[in-house]
Amino acid sequence: YQASSAILIEEKSSNAPVQDNMMEGFGLTPGMRSIDNQIAILTSWDVVYEAVKRLDFALSYYVEGSVKTTEMYNSSPFTVIFDSLHCQPLDIPIHIEAIDKERFRVHIKENNPTSSYIYKTQKYGTIAETTLYDKIHRVGEVIETPFMKFIVAFNSSMIGNKQNMHIVFRSFESIANQLKGSLRVYRKDQTSSIVRLSTTGTNSEKNTRFLDTVAEVFIEANLAKKNQIALNTIQFIEGQL
């Protein structure tokens, strides 16, 4: 799926050399105010990474069909609430299978060591030599091992659901790398200050949320920069007086 959006970049007047010289003294050069440089900032790692941290993309839910595996975003029959201070295993399917309205089975088929991630500190770690796991738990029970800690809550549609479903944890860095690679930013033409963003992915709602959040982070960063310039201007004038 593809999603797209547009941002109107504020145009700066080029016929005010005195103002330009003054702004250069405050660390905002004419080059930084150009649309091309604004596009570079918009697609930068810092902007994309900050957007990823604000989104709920760290944990993905999947349903396994006979032909393909489909991601469920805001439509999963169960919800996993994980401990952000505890490490979680990265990039391996953790299967969730309902038994009845109060019990479910959690099993991990992979028997290979994998890296772990602590979301609160955004730090990587290691786990035990094996990640094999197969136990029955009750809804709301804390599932805790040296390499994972979370709670599973059922929605009404989970009862009697016989579909094969699993979850996958991913680090902020890997998500940001993927989304940055799919992000496209371009100008409609050289005379326009409207910048268009687009991205492609397997879930249309996630695509839209990502673009909205990138725009939000970019606008907030520009506002913070303007506020800093205003503060520097006031301090400069007061110093001169």
Side-chain angles (χ1 to χ4, degrees), residues 148-181:
M148 64 183 180
K149 184 178 181 181
F150 55 82
I151 295 172
V152 176
F154 282 4
N155 301 332
S156 58
S157 59
M158 185 65 172
I159 310 304
N161 195 322
K162 298 302 181 182
Q163 293 177 303
N164 294 322
M165 294 171 287
H166 68 263
I167 59 173
V168 176
F169 288 97
R170 296 177 60 202
S171 68
F172 290 145
E173 286 81 3
S174 65
I175 299 169
N177 276 326
Q178 177 191 353
L179 293 176
K180 189 176 186 302

Side-chain angles (χ1 to χ4, degrees), residues 32-52:
M32 289 186 66
R33 296 199 307 275
S34 73
I35 294 179
D36 288 339
N37 279 276
Q38 290 297 310
I39 290 176
I41 294 172
L42 188 57
T43 58
S44 68
W45 169 262
D46 288 344
V47 170
V48 174
Y49 189 75
E50 178 60 31
V52 167

Side-chain angles (χ1 to χ4, degrees), residues 25-200:
F26 298 133
L28 190 70
T29 65
M32 289 186 66
R33 296 199 307 275
S34 73
I35 294 179
D36 288 339
N37 279 276
Q38 290 297 310
I39 290 176
I41 294 172
L42 188 57
T43 58
S44 68
W45 169 262
D46 288 344
V47 170
V48 174
Y49 189 75
E50 178 60 31
V52 167
K53 289 194 296 180
R54 297 186 186 188
L55 292 164
D56 56 351
F57 292 176
L59 180 58
S60 298
Y61 299 77
Y62 296 93
V63 57
E64 303 167 18
S66 56
V67 177
K68 66 175 182 177
T69 297
T70 304
E71 182 176 2
M72 301 177 289
Y73 185 68
N74 289 336
S75 61
S76 172
F78 64 93
T79 302
V80 172
I81 305 168
F82 65 89
D83 186 349
S84 61
L85 289 171
H86 194 281
C87 61
Q88 309 294 347
L90 292 178
D91 305 317
I92 60 172
I94 302 173
H95 299 266
I96 309 291
E97 178 186 331
I99 298 174
D100 51 40
K101 65 179 182 180
E102 295 182 351
R103 297 180 303 158
F104 60 94
R105 177 186 173 212
V106 177
H107 61 103
I108 302 174
K109 299 177 182 178
E110 279 73 10
N111 192 26
N112 298 317
T114 184
S115 59
S116 61
Y117 192 74
I118 302 174
Y119 288 93
K120 187 69 174 180
T121 60
Q122 300 161 43
K123 300 293 185 182
Y124 288 91
T126 57
I127 64 174
E129 286 300 315
T130 178
T131 53
L132 281 177
Y133 189 86
D134 192 346
K135 286 186 179 180
I136 294 176
H137 295 275
R138 301 186 72 85
V139 174
E141 175 188 349
V142 177
I143 302 169
E144 183 173 3
T145 74
F147 56 85
M148 64 183 180
K149 184 178 181 181
F150 55 82
I151 295 172
V152 176
F154 282 4
N155 301 332
S156 58
S157 59
M158 185 65 172
I159 310 304
N161 195 322
K162 298 302 181 182
Q163 293 177 303
N164 294 322
M165 294 171 287
H166 68 263
I167 59 173
V168 176
F169 288 97
R170 296 177 60 202
S171 68
F172 290 145
E173 286 81 3
S174 65
I175 299 169
N177 276 326
Q178 177 191 353
L179 293 176
K180 189 176 186 302
S182 67
L183 181 63
R184 298 291 180 266
V185 181
Y186 57 94
R187 296 169 65 176
K188 184 177 180 181
D189 55 65
Q190 293 302 311
T191 62
S192 174
S193 60
I194 295 177
V195 173
R196 299 193 178 277
L197 297 79
S198 69
T199 187
T200 55

Side-chain angles (χ1 to χ4, degrees), residues 215-228:
E216 177 184 284
V217 171
F218 173 72
I219 291 169
E220 289 180 5
N222 271 338
L223 180 60
K225 189 181 298 181
K226 288 180 181 179
N227 289 339
Q228 186 61 50

